[in-house]
């Protein structure tokens, strides 16, 4: 979501004459777009700010103008005042709901010569104010992110999102469709719908009722030229029958689903306030696989939540063994200020968390390797997105987001074409085009 947000910030700043640069030394303004989900991410902001301050001073000494430093995103939202106290040279602090006000803030910071802070949850929605021109960030890109839902009302014990991103809201269908059409017009062939709880989507459908993620995906699938639709991140509680059916009926929906479970222990799931049991998760997965037999899953796991015993952790390992994941993200529990779990007794030792994380990651790695190895000998539809590193080679991705390389003509870039997978590397697949070169 931060990648998407950064692109929108680029859009609003473009009319002011700003354009992105890869070289930070050249930048008149640097915006750190930050993540608050775990402690490590938040701490990085302060070390990065120190580095930027030095770069700003060097630029000044070399005769350039002032380097404006802005902190955006969820660390800004949660720790705005602390940022200004610890790093008084920061010019702008803005939370994730106020990106549309960035031009005004830049102007104010330049005029006032003092820090501007905006971490409101404004009544107007930023999506109504962000420019709706050609979505320049995605021009030439074949894959794009599109935020359809934001915020979260679930209040999992460990998570800062409900506090930093605010309450759950959905964009109206018409607004999403308009942005999707602009993206497809500019060449995009695959859209990933984004939301902290994307399957809680309930945007206004323009007829006075609420859409569902399934109905939105069905409408998006009608856009000529849009080949692939993905969505992330979903919550098990919001997987309804319409979404399961969509995986059977909507051919544009990719058979790869990120469905965080966090733990396999009912006791810990309850302590986490997840609102589902391990059994309910297994049942959802069973129904999804029944609807779409080639569906693969990815997930998020937390080890060492307060109160997690060896037996609880073993229940997580067993759930992983039973379900089998194509990919997964796993984390040591990290106490976040202001969240219920941070104040709970029975915090787990770092050494125990380390050991559990290692064991879990070894198992997940094994499953991911097995999943990739299983691709060899199959024919997969590959969306070609560019040229590979070797001459004559094309790079693309499979339905399961695996990078795939084949030899082929550049004219296939932007097309989805079947490829026979012949090789597996650590993080990618190698293959060859099949003769028909057309996709079903
Ligand atoms: N500690 C560790 N991991 C966390 N996540 C969210 N909050 C925390 C935390 N306090 C993980 C969850 C979530 C993912 C985005 O980050 O697994 O699904
Ligand atoms: Fe955080 Fe997801 Fe739980 Fe919401 S549902 S509180 S975003 S982990």
């Amino acid at each position: 979501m931060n990648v998407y947000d950064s692109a929108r910030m680029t859009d609003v700043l473009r009319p002011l004459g700003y354009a992105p640069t890869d070289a930070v030394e050249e930048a008149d303004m640097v915006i750190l777009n930050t993540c608050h989900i775990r402690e490590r991410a938040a701490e990085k902001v302060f070390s990065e700010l120190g580095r930027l301050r030095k770069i700003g001073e060097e630029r000044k000494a070399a005769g350039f103008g002032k380097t404006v430093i802005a902190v955006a995103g969820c660390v800004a939202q949660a720790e705005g005042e602390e940022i200004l106290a610890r790093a008084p040279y920061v010019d702008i602090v803005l939370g994730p709901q106020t990106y549309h006000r960035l031009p005004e803030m830049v102007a104010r910071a330049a005029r006032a010569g003092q820090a501007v802070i905006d971490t409101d949850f404004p009544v107007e929605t930023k999506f109504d104010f962000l420019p709706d021109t050609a979505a320049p960030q995605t021009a030439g890109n074949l894959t794009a992110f599109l935020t359809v839902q934001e915020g979260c009302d679930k209040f999992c014990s460990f998570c800062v999102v409900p506090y930093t991103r605010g309450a759950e809201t959905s964009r109206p269908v018409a607004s999403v469709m308009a942005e999707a059409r602009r993206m497809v017009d500019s060449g995009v062939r695959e859209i990933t719908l984004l939301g902290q709880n994307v399957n809680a989507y309930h945007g206004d459908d323009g007829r006075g009722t609420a859409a569902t993620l399934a109905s939105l995906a069905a409408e998006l699938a009608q856009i000529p030229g849009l080949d692939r639709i993905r969505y992330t991140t979903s919550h098990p509680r919001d997987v309804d029958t319409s979404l399961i059916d969509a995986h059977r009926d909507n051919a544009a929906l990719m058979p790869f689903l990120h469905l965080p479970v966090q733990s396999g222990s009912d006791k810990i799931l309850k302590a986490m306030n997840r609102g589902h049991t391990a059994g309910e998760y297994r049942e959802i997965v069973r129904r999804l696989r029944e609807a779409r037999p080639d569906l693969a899953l990815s997930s998020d796991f937390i080890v060492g939540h307060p109160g997690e015993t060896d037996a609880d952790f073993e229940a997580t390992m067993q759930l992983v063994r039973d379900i089998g994941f194509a990919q997964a993200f796993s984390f040591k529990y990290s106490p976040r200020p202001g969240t219920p779990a941070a104040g709970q007794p029975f915090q787990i030792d770092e050494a125990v968390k380390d050991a559990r994380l290692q064991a879990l990651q070894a198992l997940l790695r094994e499953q991911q390797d097995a999943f990739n190895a299983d691709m060899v000998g199959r024919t997969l539809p590959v969306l070609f997105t560019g040229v590979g590193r070797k001459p004559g080679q094309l790079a693309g991705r499979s339905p399961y987001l695996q990078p795939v390389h084949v030899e082929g003509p550049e004219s296939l870039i932007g097309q989805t074409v079947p490829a026979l997978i012949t090789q597996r590397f650590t993080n990618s697949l190698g293959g060859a085009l099949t003769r028909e070169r057309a996709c079903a």
Side-chain angles (χ1 to χ4, degrees), residues 37-38 158 262 300 302 331-334 336:
I37 197 92
R38 285 173 295 277
F158 50 83
Q262 314 295 358
D300 289 346
I302 295 178
F331 312 100
K332 284 191 286 183
Y333 167 71
S334 147
R336 309 304 293 126

Side-chain angles (χ1 to χ4, degrees), residues 19-102:
T21 172
D22 289 330
V24 69
E25 299 76 18
E26 288 176 6
D28 299 313
M29 172 158 63
V30 179
I31 305 177
L32 287 186
N33 195 6
T34 62
C35 176
H36 201 240
I37 197 92
R38 285 173 295 277
E39 194 175 351
R40 275 246 308 262
E43 270 309 310
K44 258 203 256 176
V45 175
F46 288 101
S47 61
E48 196 61 17
L49 280 174
R51 195 175 76 88
L52 290 176
R53 176 194 205 170
K54 261 187 63 197
I55 291 172
E57 284 168 358
E58 281 161 16
R59 273 172 50 89
K60 208 166 186 182
F64 291 102
K66 177 181 164 52
T67 308
V68 176
I69 300 180
V71 183
C74 292
V75 178
Q77 185 67 41
E79 300 183 29
E81 298 294 341
E82 192 185 339
I83 290 170
L84 292 182
R86 273 176 75 177
Y89 48 87
V90 166
D91 301 289
I92 297 173
V93 172
L94 73 159
Q97 302 311 323
T98 57
Y99 295 152
H100 56 299
R101 296 182 183 167
L102 190 51

Side-chain angles (χ1 to χ4, degrees), residues 275-288:
H276 63 83
T277 62
E280 282 158 359
Y281 185 87
R282 287 167 200 263
E283 175 61 11
I284 291 165
V285 170
R286 188 196 64 73
R287 290 175 62 201
L288 281 161

Side-chain angles (χ1 to χ4, degrees), residues 146 148 176 191-195 198 213 216-217 220 229-232:
L146 201 175
V148 301
V176 173
I191 291 180
T192 302
L193 305 175
L194 296 180
V198 72
L213 187 64
L216 179 71
L220 285 163
I229 302 167
R230 304 177 186 276
Y231 58 91
T232 198

Side-chain angles (χ1 to χ4, degrees), residues 127-128 146-149 169-182 193 201-223:
F127 295 111
D128 294 341
L146 201 175
T147 294
V148 301
Q149 180 278 339
T169 56
S170 294
R171 289 173 71 179
V173 172
S175 158
V176 173
M177 291 301 294
E179 185 165 352
R181 283 200 191 93
R182 282 196 297 278
L193 305 175
Y201 178 79
H202 59 271
D204 182 346
D205 68 358
R207 294 182 291 272
T209 42
T212 60
L213 187 64
S215 70
L216 179 71
E219 216 166 308
L220 285 163
Q222 303 293 317
I223 300 178

Side-chain angles (χ1 to χ4, degrees), residues 20 46 60 105 124 134 145 164 202 269 296 308 314 338 384:
F46 288 101
K60 208 166 186 182
M105 291 164 76
E124 83 268 18
F145 293 123
T164 51
H202 59 271
L269 287 169
E308 188 186 71
E314 177 49 31
F384 288 104

Side-chain angles (χ1 to χ4, degrees), residues 228 378-384 404 406 412 415-421 431-440:
R228 292 179 162 186
R378 291 185 189 215
T379 300
L380 295 178
V382 177
L383 170 60
F384 288 104
V404 181
V406 305
L412 292 183
Q415 292 186 44
T416 304
V417 177
L420 173 67
I421 306 302
L433 293 172
T434 56
R435 264 198 299 156
E436 2 11 321
R437 275 193 197 167
C439 196

